[in-house]
Amino acid sequence: MAGSIRGLVVAVTGGGAGIGRRIAEHAARAGAIVAVGDRDEQSARDTASALGASARGYPLDVTDEASFRGFLDAVAADLGPIDVLVNNAGVMWVGAFDTEPEQATEAMFAVNVLGVIRGVRLAAPRMRERGRGHIVTIASAASKLAPPGEASYAATKHAVAGYLTGVREELHATGVQISMIMPGVVDTELASGTATGAAKLLSPDQVAQAVVKVIRAPRFVTTVPGYIGPLVAVSGLLPQRIRDRLMRAMVPDQVAASAGADRSDYQKRALG
């Protein structure tokens, strides 16, 4: 039976906008005490202010060890021990692999991989000491697939899936839960100018609802929409040539999709 999240301290990275903001909103609506962390401190505080007295905003750069540690310490001091950490912060560059700037590649690995590792490494031991806690990471369907035009982004999400699989085993029977949410393409600035393939465009609210659901009833992997998981599992049993044909029909070619899109503003802000 699913439990209540009322009164739990839920900390969300990258919570000032997009999916992170919706996660914070849905968690607060369900009765959680919410800590909103974001590199844009003002957006974090604005989001928290909109949620009411049960939320607070904090500056957080997930690529900086001192910043992440300071975030966790401040939340614990202000709101109490963190029950749930939602590793949501993420960035994405889209385009042909041989035109991807080195700075963009490094930024994706710094945020999407090292940021998640840092969050788990800093938060999980505190939870283990208390004998309870939950870390939910927003991964991606790219953790299972690798759309053309998102090679490095997919690599970061594959890395996250591998890391969390190993950590989950280390934390077995400690009371600390590890979960991954793997959505398809979500209607946010990060995905602007990309295509959805055979799947429908998701809303940030759909991802946020999946997060709240998995906090209430922990499970390791949740795909959004749900059929992505079984589809990938079944396709993995097919001969390569048939699998290739299926994936090319289902998975979008983001090189072609983004060719006419102007993602420059987002990529300049997110990737430097």
Side-chain angles (χ1 to χ4, degrees), residues 13-268:
T13 74
I19 294 173
R21 183 180 179 111
R22 292 293 186 269
I23 293 170
E25 291 172 352
H26 281 258
R29 197 176 303 152
I33 301 166
V34 180
V36 181
D38 202 284
R39 185 172 61 175
D40 183 341
E41 181 177 355
Q42 190 58 52
S43 70
R45 298 196 184 281
D46 288 347
T47 296
S49 178
L51 297 179
S54 63
R56 292 190 67 165
Y58 301 84
L60 169 62
D61 181 352
V62 300
T63 69
D64 181 87
E65 181 93 359
S67 177
F68 215 138
R69 189 183 301 277
F71 169 69
L72 297 177
D73 289 344
V75 174
D78 293 342
L79 306 177
I82 294 172
D83 297 296
V84 182
L85 172 65
V86 182
N87 280 320
N88 165 75
V91 294
M92 181 171 72
W93 186 90
V94 179
F97 74 91
D98 54 347
T99 65
E100 181 177 289
E102 183 176 4
Q103 185 175 2
T105 310
E106 292 177 349
M108 282 188 282
F109 276 86
V111 175
N112 301 355
V113 181
L114 299 182
V116 168
I117 290 174
R118 187 170 288 113
V120 173
R121 178 166 45 76
L122 293 175
R126 305 180 188 207
M127 295 176 175
R128 183 172 55 195
E129 287 179 4
R130 301 197 312 274
R132 61 183 177 82
H134 194 172
I135 297 176
V136 181
T137 297
I138 307 303
S140 168
S143 302
K144 299 286 188 180
L145 306 167
E150 296 179 8
S152 291
Y153 178 75
T156 67
K157 297 304 182 178
H158 276 68
V160 163
Y163 175 76
L164 294 177
T165 299
V167 169
R168 178 172 178 262
E169 288 305 306
E170 292 190 44
L171 291 172
H172 176 65
T174 66
V176 181
Q177 300 284 344
I178 298 290
S179 297
M180 284 189 288
I181 308 293
M182 298 182 177
V185 180
V186 185
D187 187 13
T188 63
E189 190 179 20
L190 177 145
S192 64
T194 65
T196 64
K200 292 183 178 180
L201 183 66
L202 299 170
S203 71
D205 288 306
Q206 287 174 285
V207 182
Q209 288 163 3
V211 170
V212 171
K213 183 177 180 180
V214 86
I215 294 173
R216 285 176 167 151
R219 57 181 297 181
F220 183 37
V221 176
T222 298
T223 59
V224 186
Y227 65 75
I228 290 179
L231 174 64
V232 172
V234 170
S235 70
L237 302 175
L238 300 173
Q240 189 65 51
R241 62 184 178 82
I242 298 177
R243 184 178 188 278
D244 287 345
R245 193 176 306 158
L246 175 64
M247 290 297 101
R248 286 167 185 155
M250 300 289 291
V251 178
D253 181 343
Q254 305 295 21
V255 176
S258 64
D262 183 3
R263 290 175 48 85
S264 58
D265 285 348
Y266 163 76
Q267 293 183 165
K268 183 177 180 180

